[in-house]
Each structure stands twice: as C-alpha cells, then as structure tokens.
Amino acid sequence: MKKLLLFFIMFFLITIQLMALNVSKYKIDVTIDTETHSISGVSEIFFPYQKGNILVPIGNKIEINSLFLNNTKIAVDIVKKGNENFLKIVPVYFKDQNKLEIYYYGTFKNVPQNAMFSQEFMNIGTDGYIKDDFVYLPPDGYWYPHFDGVLAPFSLKVKTKSNLIFVTTGNFLGKSSDGIYNVFSFSEDKPVEPIFLIGGKYKVDKDYLNGISIYTYFFNEDEFLSSKYLAAVKRYIKMYSDLIGPYPFKKFAVVENQLPTGFGMPSYTLLGQEVLRLPFIVYTSLGHEVLHNWWGNSVFVNYSEGNWCEGLTSYMADHYYKELKSEKDAVNYRRQLLVNYMSYVKKGNEISLSEFIERHNPAQRAIGYGKSLMVFHMLRKLVGDDVFYEALKNFYSEMVWKKASWEDIRKIFEDTWEKVHEKTLEEYKKENKKIPEFEKNLDTSLDWFFSQWIFRKGAPEIGIKLNMVFQVSENDYLISFDLTQSEPLYKLLIPVEIVTEKGKEFRKITFSDKEHEFQIILKNKPLKLIVDPDYDVFRKLYPEEIPPSISTVLGKDTLYVYFSNNFKNSESYAKIMKSVFPKKDIFKVKTLEDALSKASEGKCVLFFQTPSENLNSKIKDISMQDIDIKDGNLFLNSKPNPIMGNKKAIIVFKNRMTQNTSLALFVDDGNEISFERVLNKIIHYGKYGYLIFDGEKNILKGEWETLKSPLILDIK
Ligand SMILES: [Zn+2]
C-alpha cells in the first residue's frame, strides 16, 4: 500500500488549478487532547506567487478559527464541494513568497468497528480518531489543511498532556516538556506526501546504521519482536543501498497500529498488530515497504503513464527474496503470477500497465503488480544482469526527488545499455579481436519493448509444433519446430530447453511472427522440448498449466454451494459467504445430483461436509487430484491428515469431466466465527491447492503439481 491516490485523482478532476500550487513547506503546530478527542492549532502553508484563487482542502472535520495571509488577518470563506470543504483564498495580497496561517480546531472520534485487513481494500473505514490510548490521523481525514498529491517538506510540533508517544514521517527531533505538555518535534526537508500522525502507548527501541536511526514503536506485549525487526530493517537498508544508492531518509521506523493496516510511508511502515505478529512479515512485506523509500517515496511516480513503482518494488523485494532462496522458488513465484492473471483478469476488467494507478481488486493487482514485475524480469533477461542493475542505479541517481514515468525508465535503460555496449565494442577493438555478429548487430532500442508491454493490454499466447527430428551425421541431430502466437503479435525472447540423452541444453529464441520455423543442431539425441520452462515470459497459460488453487476459485464470479445432509448451519454459512464476497453470485443447490450436474456444465461448485463424513464416492470420482476422506482423515495424494476437532479443510481440485474447471471441497467443523475469519484470510493463500486450519490458524498448506502442458513436447 502507498499513497491515497484516489483522493488525488478526484481532487485533480475537481480543481485543476490547484495542482499547479507549489507548496514550499508546511509548518504545523498542534495540541492533541485525548479527553475531548480533539486537535487544535495552526497550520502554516508557505507557497510562491500564485495566479488566481487558491482552494485549500480542509475536509469536513475541522473548523477554522482564524486566517492570516502574510501576517494580515483575512476573512474565512468556505466553499463546499460534495462532502468536502475548501478554504478559498483570493490572490489580491499575494507576494513572491507567501505564508498562510490557518488556525483550526477539530474533533476526531470515528473509531472503525471490525476493521479487517485486506490486500485489496485499503480504506479501513475511518478518517481518523483520537482516544486516550491511541491516535490515528490519516491525511485523508484532514487533521491539518493540505493539498493532496502535493509533495512538500514539513515541520511538525505535537503537544499533549497524555502519555502517548507520537510518530510520523521524517526525522524525530526529540521530546521535551514545558511543564504542562509533552512536546514532540518532527521535520523533513525532502518533499514528502501528506502525512499520517500516529500516537500510542509505545515501547520505543532504537538502533543505528551508518547515521540512519532505526526504530520500532511496538505495544508492550509485542516488544519482544523488536530486535528481529530492527535487525531485518538494517539488513534491507544495507542491501538496497548497495543495489540502488544511498537510503534517502535519516530514519526508518516500524510502527505498530491498532488498526489492521500494512501501509508503507516515507521513512516508516505502519503495521497492524495481527500483521506484525505474522512470522513471515520480516522476510516479505517489511523488505517491500523499506524498498518503497527508494521507489515511490524518493523517486516519485509520474502517474500520467501509469504506476511503475509496485512492479519494480515487488520485483526487487518479493521476487528477489525467492531468487535468493532458490531458483525453483522464483520459478514457482512467477508461475503463480501468471496463474493469478489467468484467474482474475478477464476481457471486461483488463487494463494496460499505462492505465494502472493503484490496486482496488485482484485483477488490478495481477496487472499492476504481477504483469509489471514480469516486465522488469523480461527487461533484465533482455539486457542482461549487468546492464539491468547499472540502469537501476542510474535511474535512481537521475530521478531521485523527481517524478518518473515508464518513459524515463525506457530512456535510462536504453542509454545504459548503449553505453555498456559501446564499451564492449571498444574493448574488442583495443584487443584487436573480431567483433562477434550478435554484438555488431545488437539493437539497444527499447521502444518496441515498452510499447508492447506497457501501452498494450493483454498477453501473448504461444504455441509449438514439432516438425521433425533428424540425425544429420553420426554426432549431430537436427530438431525442427514451429513456434506460433496469436494476434496481436509480440516480439518475444523465449527460452527453450531441450532434454537430450545426455542432459539438458538451453537456447534463447527471438520470435516476432505469427508462425516461424526454428532449427536447432544438437550433439545428443533430443527426448523432450520445453518452451519457456521457467516462466520467464509474461504469457497466457494453458489450462493444463494451471494447477487448481484457491485463486482459481476466488476468480469466479458465480459459485454454487452444496451442503451435505449432515451439515447443520448451512443457512448461516451461505450468509457468511455472501457477506465476505459481496460481489459474487452465490447459489445454494439442494441435492448432490444438482451439484454434480452444475459441475458437469463447467460451473464452479463448492461441496461442504463435516469431518466425520466419508467423502462421497461421486465427488471423489470427478476429481483429477488424488483426494479422499475416511475415518476422520483427509487423504491428499494418499497421505492421511487428521481433520477431527476444530479443524477446517479447503481442497481445490479439477473437474475430470470438464478437464479444467476448479471445484472445491470444504470440510468444516461448523464453527461460524472461525469460518468467517478463515474466509477473510484465504485471499492470502491464493496459490495453494489445499489448506487445513485448526480454528483459524493455518496448520497445513500445499500446492498441487502441474499436469501436462502443451508447451512440453515428448519426442519419440
Ligand atoms: Zn508496494
């Protein structure tokens, strides 16, 4: 998660003249009273000369006491637009440099009920609240008047009689006391997005790395996690400073939130308690949020051509950590991105990367994160590792504290590639060596690459046909095959693996026609030909390449649900499903016969049963995966897993009758509360084919093997 872009865009549409406003600085001085849930103080906005009126957004929570422009009191004029209020300032007294002082007061009490963490919905239902044990003031609640989407330095003083500890973006200058109030001071001289103000009963731990202060602000009960987080943040800052360039801020803080968020802001991350306690967060999301300080928070996104920053951040964080673990983990990760694309992206919701701003649903995530990540991966495969990492360093040093677009990325990658290439050619000349053909003919332009991947929707569909295998001489074999692709055509760099009698051989093929014949000479007899074995190309998968998984079910708009006769609370279960997935059409089917007939029509059916029932043989028969339930055990590939007690199991399997649609089996103890919680969680388990929960805690997860693929040719 990042910026509050939706507001930025709405705002952009309402008052375009405002976007031109350059804020040189905000100086905010506020007092927080937890007893009255109120905030009061002054926000000073410094800005250069401006033609025309200024409308300062003030939301709908604060009231203006008085207003001064360049030290002269002026009248308060409020303009209402929809639900939001704006302070109208006429330009009569504007100078070259201006100071607007806004004295205001506001009450924030909106504590959200049952806020749920979600990957897809980032509005957690509050514009901010002030309580005796916690203060949560997001910028979109306008706890201080500011312009959305405008980046500016700031200084902030927070006074409070409470014993809360405050934290926000930028440098923490210290805490002092004036006898009555505790005073917290912050500042940042770099341009930053509008800020959140967070206060809590924190235990603060601190560490240092090369002059950077690293903090954790954790609640008492979680302080024991602090050392793990501090060490991980140090590791990430060091790693990315080496890969990209120096860390752009003077501090990084991990801040625990009462609300279930996973937000990344300049110089800190705000993590809900539940998220913070997840053991894998330090190895995944934390690094992603640290990396956003380079991509997003210091190289800003020029959204006019789409948001590149999530793809690059995910590539250098989530995907990179898989690569560091093993090549196989990275391959599986990429395959899953393609599965997500196939599961969630349909004709009606497909966008190009140049249209992606921010994710609001799984389809946008599959494109704005998944496809975007794959584009960086293909770019790296195209230019090579050396050029790729050097270009990223150049991109950072050239664009830091500026707004960058895909076009800037293209230019910098092209320039870097060209320079590295020129150097290589010079070295050949210096050493009087013959320049190889491929170096001579190398084309370092990237126009075609960016136009097909960034500005076009969709993905290529690749096919293969074997023509012949031919023994040319005693030691040489020739294999001839056609690659095909559907229109519109892409220029693709496709890896091909040939399994021979004596091991594997690899080739890279450039392919841009609808159909093209390729011939490869091999030293050993070929047995198998595999196109794109490691999922290096962003392409449409064949149904056979997609193992049944939670995401293949979650991607369906219509679900049919069958409850076995022994299943007690089918009514409330159906209700819970509708409330967790409000956008899906969910229909109950009465009999197993009806359910099976829906399945035979290719519909997605969810079969519910209790743990003590054996699996009905008719359901077992239509599964392509090896599953069974007998005597309180769930058998997966013939391996028993006990499911009695407070357990829930979700198993997704493929329908043998239709060859590829997914069906799911829910084995459930009947506990509604944990069912609702598990349903809310399963979006995080999208890639898995089977899950077992004890209550709401996951105790088993696994993926099914991929079945045969049309891109694997057995050569007889
Ligand atoms: Zn991100």
Side-chain angles (χ1 to χ4, degrees), residues 1-2 288-289 292 309-310 313-314 318 359 369:
M1 141 77 190
K2 298 213 51 271
H288 181 113
E289 298 307 347
H292 266 312
C309 114
E310 290 304 342
T313 304
S314 305
D318 311 55
R359 71 181 138 99
Y369 287 62

Side-chain angles (χ1 to χ4, degrees), residues 422-438:
E422 273 167 18
K423 241 196 204 160
T424 316
L425 292 182
E426 266 166 37
E427 270 160 33
Y428 276 108
K429 277 184 201 153
K430 240 193 246 161
E431 293 168 22
N432 260 332
K433 278 187 189 163
K434 191 176 175 321
I435 301 167
E437 279 307 299
F438 78 92

Side-chain angles (χ1 to χ4, degrees), residues 464-620:
I464 182 170
K465 277 192 298 200
L466 185 67
N467 295 328
M468 60 171 178
V469 180
F470 190 73
Q471 188 163 8
V472 199
S473 67
E474 203 183 325
N475 293 318
D476 289 324
Y477 289 84
L478 180 136
I479 176 168
S480 156
F481 57 91
D482 286 349
L483 281 184
T484 61
Q485 62 167 316
S486 58
E487 292 187 73
L489 301 178
Y490 285 77
K491 181 172 168 185
L492 302 166
L493 182 66
I494 303 181
V496 174
E497 175 185 323
I498 307 110
V499 182
T500 72
E501 277 182 335
K502 291 187 186 155
K504 293 173 177 176
E505 295 205 27
F506 298 91
R507 299 283 192 282
K508 271 184 186 173
I509 292 174
T510 305
F511 170 54
S512 54
D513 308 322
K514 191 162 171 46
E515 188 162 348
H516 194 97
E517 187 190 341
F518 294 93
Q519 296 183 342
I520 296 175
I521 303 278
L522 298 156
K523 288 282 168 222
N524 298 295
K525 191 177 176 198
L527 303 174
K528 206 183 250 188
L529 183 70
I530 310 171
V531 176
D532 192 26
D534 293 336
Y535 303 91
D536 288 315
V537 180
F538 185 72
R539 60 180 174 85
K540 287 190 180 154
L541 296 179
Y542 287 90
E544 295 91 325
E545 292 179 277
I546 305 173
S549 67
I550 296 289
S551 61
T552 59
V553 171
L554 292 180
K556 295 276 186 284
D557 295 328
T558 308
L559 299 173
Y560 293 86
V561 191
Y562 164 75
F563 295 94
S564 78
N565 293 333
N566 295 327
F567 205 90
K568 289 274 165 0
N569 19 13
S570 62
E571 281 306 323
S572 51
Y573 266 55
K575 256 190 216 150
I576 291 169
M577 269 188 277
K578 278 182 189 156
S579 77
V580 176
F581 302 114
K583 287 191 182 149
K584 292 190 192 305
D585 290 321
I586 299 173
F587 300 105
K588 252 175 95 175
V589 268
K590 289 217 172 74
T591 64
L592 181 60
E593 277 59 43
D594 287 349
L596 292 169
S597 111
K598 285 288 171 211
S600 69
E601 292 167 21
K603 304 279 178 1
C604 182
V605 183
L606 315 180
F607 299 90
F608 277 77
Q609 69 162 78
T610 64
S612 53
E613 287 171 271
N614 290 348
L615 182 62
N616 189 298
S617 61
K618 285 180 184 158
I619 300 174
K620 197 174 135 184

